């Protein structure tokens, strides 16, 4: 990694407060471009021209999805814009690059009945400390619509069961206060009663551990473990072993919208920077409404059968 790229990544992390995942993705993109350019006799990223950048993207497009290529275009534009801002170069060779058109994909959403079955399945597993922890995880994900990274970052002091709210640190270190429903409050309270046993069973038991959700070794849970918990709950309750925590986030938002919540409130709850991101859930709700109409309304029989059969829902 050359000096210009290293400087950019440092600014990305410190000045723009990008997440570690974002920084890592930008780093990979620049490393791949640097390797491609070095093979063709151009070892300095700061002096690359638009022709070489286009050639690299053309090679990348033959083996990557459109969404991946679009992200790489965004990475390059941001990188060269940083070089312009810092006076390293006067132009941006990525400014006029074509961005591949992304296929709009609706988020996967569970209906309310299936969501209830998933939660019941994890509740019924048992009363051990780990069982109570897993129940609290699933309940809290669905009740608040948190991202996995946000759930992992929760400390005990961030959840106020008496007030029924949680302090969440989202993308870009933006904080928000989100309400916690009664069922999730009860699940978290039950888990907190036995959380100490997980700390005592660990060799680290004498060290203060602020994390709300901990492993059987007393350490803060990582996203992969949360995903395993949700997949297991999905297999038990919904008959699907590929349920992802983000599906609970999407389900939370869609069910709130179906229940009459306005988009601005849902935007605040989920921590979306842009309202357009939240508006995806209106399409999901409309698809569900159309399916109900097709099943229940007598006039639905007048609709073309092929149109009804081929109408896609959320995946």
């Amino acid at each position: 990694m050359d000096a210009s790229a290293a400087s950019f990544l440092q600014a990305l992390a410190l000045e723009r407060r990008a997440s570690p995942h974002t920084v890592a993705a930008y780093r990979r993109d620049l490393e791949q471009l640097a390797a491609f350019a070095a093979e063709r006799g151009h070892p300095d990223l700061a002096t690359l021209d638009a022709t070489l950048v286009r050639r690299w993207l053309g090679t990348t497009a033959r083996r990557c999805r459109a969404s991946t290529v679009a992200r790489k275009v965004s990475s390059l534009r941001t990188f060269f814009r940083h070089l312009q801002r810092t006076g390293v170069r006067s132009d941006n060779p990525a400014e006029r690059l074509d961005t591949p058109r992304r296929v709009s994909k609706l988020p996967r959403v569970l209906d309310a009945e299936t969501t209830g079955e998933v939660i019941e399945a994890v509740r019924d597993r048992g009363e051990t400390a780990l069982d109570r922890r897993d129940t609290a995880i699933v309940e809290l994900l669905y009740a608040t619509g948190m991202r996995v990274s946000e759930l992992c970052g929760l400390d005990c002091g961030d959840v106020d069961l008496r007030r029924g709210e949680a302090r969440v640190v989202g993308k870009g270190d933006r904080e928000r206060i989100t309400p916690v429903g009664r069922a999730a409050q009860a699940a978290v309270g039950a888990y907190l009663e036995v959380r100490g046993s997980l700390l005592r069973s660990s060799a680290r038991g004498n060290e203060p551990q602020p994390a709300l959700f901990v492993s059987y070794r007393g350490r803060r849970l990582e996203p992969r473990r949360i995903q395993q918990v949700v997949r297991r709950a999905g297999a038990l309750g919904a008959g699907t072993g590929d349920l992802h925590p983000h599906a609970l986030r999407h389900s939370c938002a869609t069910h709130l919208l179906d229940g009459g919540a306005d988009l601005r409130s849902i935007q605040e709850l989920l921590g979306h920077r842009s309202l357009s991101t939240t508006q995806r859930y209106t399409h999901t709700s409309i698809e569900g409404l159309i399916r109900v109409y097709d099943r229940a309304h007598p006039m639905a029989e007048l609709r073309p059968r092929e149109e009804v059969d081929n109408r896609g829902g959320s995946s």
Side-chain angles (χ1 to χ4, degrees):
M1 185 59 58
D2 66 18
S4 61
S7 171
F8 164 68
L9 293 172
Q10 184 178 35
L12 194 67
L14 298 181
E15 297 174 15
R16 298 182 58 177
R17 294 186 177 182
S19 73
H21 296 293
T22 300
V23 175
Y26 277 57
R27 178 185 295 277
R28 284 194 301 272
D29 294 341
L30 293 177
E31 286 175 344
Q32 291 166 9
L33 174 60
F36 180 88
E39 290 176 357
R40 288 152 182 81
H42 297 277
D44 187 3
L45 286 178
T47 62
L48 295 185
D49 59 22
T51 301
L52 189 62
V53 172
R54 283 198 187 93
R55 287 173 60 191
W56 175 66
L57 282 174
T59 302
T60 302
R62 289 195 286 272
R63 54 184 174 79
C64 294
R65 294 177 299 177
S67 59
T68 301
V69 177
R71 194 206 68 231
K72 292 180 184 297
V73 170
S74 177
S75 298
L76 297 186
R77 284 177 180 158
T78 307
F79 168 62
F80 286 112
R81 197 175 296 131
H82 168 78
L83 297 187
Q84 284 181 293
R85 190 170 60 250
T86 54
V88 175
R89 63 183 298 160
S90 60
D91 65 327
N92 186 338
E95 198 64 54
R96 296 188 178 184
L97 293 175
D98 293 330
T99 302
R101 187 173 182 179
R102 304 189 192 197
V103 177
S104 179
K105 190 175 182 181
L106 294 176
R108 179 181 184 180
V109 175
L110 303 178
D111 58 42
E113 182 179 353
T114 304
T115 304
E117 291 171 353
V118 170
I119 293 174
E120 283 299 323
V122 73
R123 282 178 185 165
D124 292 343
R125 275 178 44 194
E127 283 295 313
T128 68
L130 293 179
D131 291 332
R132 290 192 185 188
R133 182 203 66 188
D134 293 352
T135 300
I137 286 171
V138 175
E139 289 270 19
L140 203 55
L141 283 171
Y142 175 60
T144 64
M146 286 186 202
R147 301 177 178 93
V148 175
S149 58
E150 295 169 347
L151 189 82
C152 292
L154 284 179
D155 290 336
C156 290
D158 292 332
V159 179
D160 188 334
L161 296 181
R162 184 180 60 82
R163 295 173 61 91
E165 60 187 35
R167 171 184 166 274
V168 181
V169 180
K171 291 183 176 180
D173 288 338
R174 296 192 303 274
E175 293 185 11
R176 66 183 188 275
I177 301 297
T178 183
V180 178
R182 286 190 294 273
Q185 290 176 45
V188 173
Y191 160 64
L192 287 175
E193 292 175 357
V194 296
R195 174 180 172 274
S197 65
L198 297 177
L199 299 179
R200 287 192 297 272
S201 66
S202 165
R204 298 162 57 92
N206 294 327
E207 299 178 20
Q209 173 55 272
L212 175 61
F213 292 111
V214 296
S215 68
Y216 69 93
R217 295 178 178 175
R219 298 173 181 170
R220 186 184 295 272
L221 280 190
E222 297 181 353
R224 182 172 297 180
R225 180 55 188 152
I226 302 292
Q227 292 165 5
Q228 291 171 348
V229 168
V230 174
R231 279 201 299 269
R232 183 175 180 184
L236 293 173
T240 175
D242 63 348
L243 185 64
H244 192 276
H246 232 60
L248 296 177
R249 175 174 166 86
H250 296 324
S251 300
C252 168
T254 303
H255 298 167
L256 282 171
L257 189 62
D258 291 342
D262 63 272
L263 278 175
R264 285 292 182 188
S265 298
I266 297 174
Q267 178 188 7
E268 290 293 326
L269 177 73
L270 299 184
H272 286 155
R273 177 175 290 179
S274 169
L275 186 62
S276 62
T277 305
T278 314
Q279 286 175 329
R280 292 181 303 167
Y281 300 108
T282 62
H283 302 298
T284 305
S285 294
I286 290 170
E287 289 291 347
L289 176 61
I290 290 174
R291 289 197 298 274
V292 170
Y293 179 95
D294 288 336
R295 289 196 305 266
H297 199 290
M299 296 301 289
E301 292 300 321
L302 300 180
R303 296 155 65 89
R305 189 72 258 161
E306 183 179 354
E307 176 187 342
V308 174
D309 292 340
N310 291 337
R311 187 181 304 281
S314 57
S315 60

